[in-house]
Amino acid sequence: MEMKTNRVAFEEFDGDVEKLMGYKKITGHLVFDVKLGEIFRRKARYCADGHKTEATAALTYSTVVSCDSVRILLMIAALNGLDLQCTDIQNAFLNAPAIKKYYLVAGPEFGEEEDKVFIVRRALYGLKSSSVAFRSHLAETLEDLGFSSSTADPDVWMRAAVKPDGKEYYKYIRCYVDDILCMLMKAKEVMEGIGRVFKFKKGKIEPPESYLGARLQKKTLDGHDMWTMSSYDYVVAAVKKVKETLKDSPKWKMPKNAPTPMTSAYEPEMDGSSELGREDHTYFQELIGILRWATEIGRVDILLEVSLLSQYQAAPRERHMEQALRIFAFLDTFPKLTLYYDWRTPNVDYSKLRSSREDFEAYYRDATEEMPHNTSKPRGRSVGSTAWVDASHGANKKTRKSHTGYIIFLNRAPILWHSKRQNTVEASTFGSKFIALKSCIEAITHLRFKLRMFGIPLEEGPSHVFCDNESVVTNSTMVESTLNKKHNSIAYHYTRWNVAAGVINILWIAGMLNLADAFTKQLTLERRGRLFGEWMY
C-alpha cells in the first residue's frame, strides 16, 4: 500500500543511465514508526537515504508554526467570532516537485518493478530538501489565494477582510507542515481553494478536533463560547504505552497512586543512586520527551517537575527514573485537564499599581517601545496581557542556581508558560527575582511584537506583571529607589526602562496567590489545587 502511494514520485527511465547528466543516484528503504503526535499511531513510509546526499543548510531548513501562535489564534477566533476548519494534506511532500536531480534503481519494495530505473520527480520523503520543497509549493498556493506570511511567524498566513456587518478583521491560516487550520468567516471556501492543488486525507474539511495530540473543542463557559485544549487522549495513550513497556520489567514499576508529580521534598540534584545503564538511559530520555510534549499541549501542572528531571538526561540515575515514572502515575491519577482560551477581560485587581511612567521618563529619556516598521494594521477586538513571575532562590542545592517561572495570559487565555533553571548564581532572593523578571519582560516584548504583526489590536497601556517580592517591586516602581547591588544592574535598568517605555507595569502580589509559584517550587496537593484551579479545568 505504501509503495503504491509513493509511485507518483517516480518516473520510469528506459534509457542509458550514463546519459542522466546532473543526476545523482540514491537508495531508499521502508521505515516503520510510531507517531507520538497522533496518539502513537503506527505508520510505514518509503524514504530516500537522504543521509547519503549533500545539501546546503538553506535547502534543509524549514519552519513550523509555533505553539504560542496556535494558542493566540484559538483565542482570537472566539473573540472575533471566526469559523475554524482544518484538514490534513495527504502524502504532503509527494505533492511538491523535487528541487534536486536524483534517480534510483528499484529495490524489492517495488515488487514487480524491481531493478527498474526511476527518476525522482517529487519531493520524496527522506531527501534533505523535501521539506523546503513542500513548504515552497504550499506557500505559492496560499499567495495565489491572497494570503501573506507573517513576519512574526512565517507559518501564520493572513489576509485583510471585512465582515458582512462592515467590521474589519483578518483571515488566518496556520500551517504545521501538512496540518492546515483556517480561521475566517467562511473557512470552508478557502479550504476548497487549497484543495484544488492538494489532496486532503479522506477528503475531509471539518472543525478541528485535535492538534498534534491535543483535543480541541468549542465549549461554553458562563454563557460564552470559547475554544479549549485538552491533552487527555495523549496522556491516556502515553500512560498505556508506559504500562505495556513496564509490564514484563523486573526492575521498574509505575506507582499505583501519585497525588503529586514528585515525591515530597525530593531533590534530583542530590540524588546519589546508581547511574542508569545504556538501555534504561535511552528509555528515560524517551519518557522525558513524551512528558515535555504533554506540557506543550496543556499539562502545565507538571512543567516544573519535567523541567527539573530534564536537566539530567545526559547522566540520569535510578531515582530520576523512579520520579519520571511517578509523573506518569500522577497523569494516570489525574488524566483530565483542560485549558480554556477565554477571550473575556480578566477578573484581576490592578488597584495596587504603584509605578508611574511619567516619573521614569525623566531618567530614561530615550525609553520608547520599539515598534515594527512593517506592522499590520490593527483589525478586530483588542486584547490585554497579564503575567505572573517568580523565582526560587538557590533552589539547586548543588550548584545554588535559582529557578525561574512565569505564565503570561492574553485576556484570560494562557499563552506562554516557562520553568527553567537560571544560568547564573545569585547571592540573594532579590537578585534571582530580578533575573526572572527580566526573562518575563523579554517574553512579553516578544508577545507584543507578535500580536502587532498578526494585526491584533493591543489595549491602551502596558502589560501588567505580578511579582511577590517587595524589594523588586519597589525598585521597579519607585523612581527614587536606588540599587545597592551593582551585580543586578542590567536587569534593574532593563526593567525600569520598560516601565518608562510603557511596555509593563509592576504590581505586588502575595506569594500564596502568585500563579508562577507552581513553576518554581514543589507544592502540596492543596496549594497546587488552589493555584492551578484558578485557570485550569
Side-chain angles (χ1 to χ4, degrees), residues 243-287:
K243 286 182 176 179
E244 290 176 351
T245 303
L246 300 180
K247 184 170 58 176
D248 300 322
S249 173
K251 187 174 183 180
W252 305 112
K253 300 295 179 184
M254 185 189 297
K256 292 184 178 181
N257 183 43
T260 57
M262 266 190 183
T263 305
S264 177
Y266 175 69
E267 298 166 338
E269 71 275 11
M270 303 303 290
D271 197 320
S273 59
S274 301
E275 290 189 7
L276 296 178
R278 180 174 297 180
E279 289 187 7
D280 287 340
H281 185 166
T282 301
Y283 186 55
F284 177 82
Q285 293 174 327
E286 291 177 6
L287 295 180

Side-chain angles (χ1 to χ4, degrees), residues 84-328:
L84 265 66
Q85 296 289 330
C86 72
T87 190
D88 277 347
I89 296 175
Q90 186 170 320
N91 300 311
F93 288 5
L94 301 182
N95 289 276
I99 293 178
K100 302 193 75 174
K101 295 181 177 180
Y102 296 109
Y103 78 93
L104 59 75
V105 177
E109 301 92 348
F110 285 76
E112 295 178 356
E113 294 186 302
E114 185 177 0
D115 295 330
K116 288 184 178 181
V117 177
F118 291 101
I119 296 175
V120 180
R121 293 300 188 191
R122 300 291 180 90
L124 187 63
Y125 284 91
L127 294 176
K128 293 179 179 179
S129 59
S130 291
S131 59
V132 175
F134 169 72
R135 191 187 183 284
S136 298
H137 188 46
L138 179 60
E140 290 174 4
T141 303
L142 296 179
E143 286 175 347
D144 291 341
L145 292 172
F147 286 82
S148 58
S149 176
S150 171
T151 304
D153 191 328
D155 292 284
V156 172
W157 296 75
M158 48 196 289
R159 187 176 82 186
V162 180
K163 292 182 178 181
D165 60 4
K167 294 181 180 178
E168 296 182 326
Y169 77 105
Y170 281 102
K171 300 177 178 180
Y172 295 102
I173 296 179
R174 184 280 286 143
C175 305
Y176 195 105
V177 191
D178 59 350
D179 185 0
I180 311 297
L181 180 65
C182 282
M183 304 179 182
L184 51 144
M185 290 302 294
K186 295 182 180 179
K188 219 162 193 177
E189 294 179 2
V190 172
M191 283 293 201
E192 289 170 352
I194 299 173
R196 286 191 284 271
V197 180
F198 298 93
K199 184 178 180 181
F200 300 147
K201 290 181 180 177
K202 300 180 181 179
K204 284 187 176 181
I205 301 174
E206 57 189 3
E209 294 181 354
S210 64
Y211 165 72
L212 300 176
R215 180 192 297 178
L216 297 181
Q217 286 182 299
K218 197 169 189 179
K219 294 184 178 181
T220 301
L221 181 65
D222 299 332
H224 301 278
D225 291 337
M226 61 195 69
W227 285 95
T228 66
M229 180 181 289
S230 170
S231 57
Y232 175 75
D233 296 332
Y234 179 86
V235 165
V236 169
V239 170
K240 180 180 178 181
K241 181 176 174 63
V242 172
K243 286 182 176 179
E244 290 176 351
T245 303
L246 300 180
K247 184 170 58 176
D248 300 322
S249 173
K251 187 174 183 180
W252 305 112
K253 300 295 179 184
M254 185 189 297
K256 292 184 178 181
N257 183 43
T260 57
M262 266 190 183
T263 305
S264 177
Y266 175 69
E267 298 166 338
E269 71 275 11
M270 303 303 290
D271 197 320
S273 59
S274 301
E275 290 189 7
L276 296 178
R278 180 174 297 180
E279 289 187 7
D280 287 340
H281 185 166
T282 301
Y283 186 55
F284 177 82
Q285 293 174 327
E286 291 177 6
L287 295 180
I288 294 299
I290 294 171
L291 292 171
R292 289 178 68 174
W293 185 247
T295 65
E296 286 291 332
I297 60 175
R299 288 311 298 249
V300 191
D301 58 332
I302 61 171
L303 182 63
L304 170 64
E305 290 77 14
V306 174
S307 174
L308 292 175
L309 291 181
S310 295
Q311 300 171 21
Y312 304 96
Q313 291 189 80
R317 297 179 178 275
E318 290 185 352
R319 290 208 65 201
H320 293 153
M321 174 70 90
E322 291 175 2
Q323 294 301 313
L325 294 176
R326 181 183 170 88
I327 296 178
F328 279 94

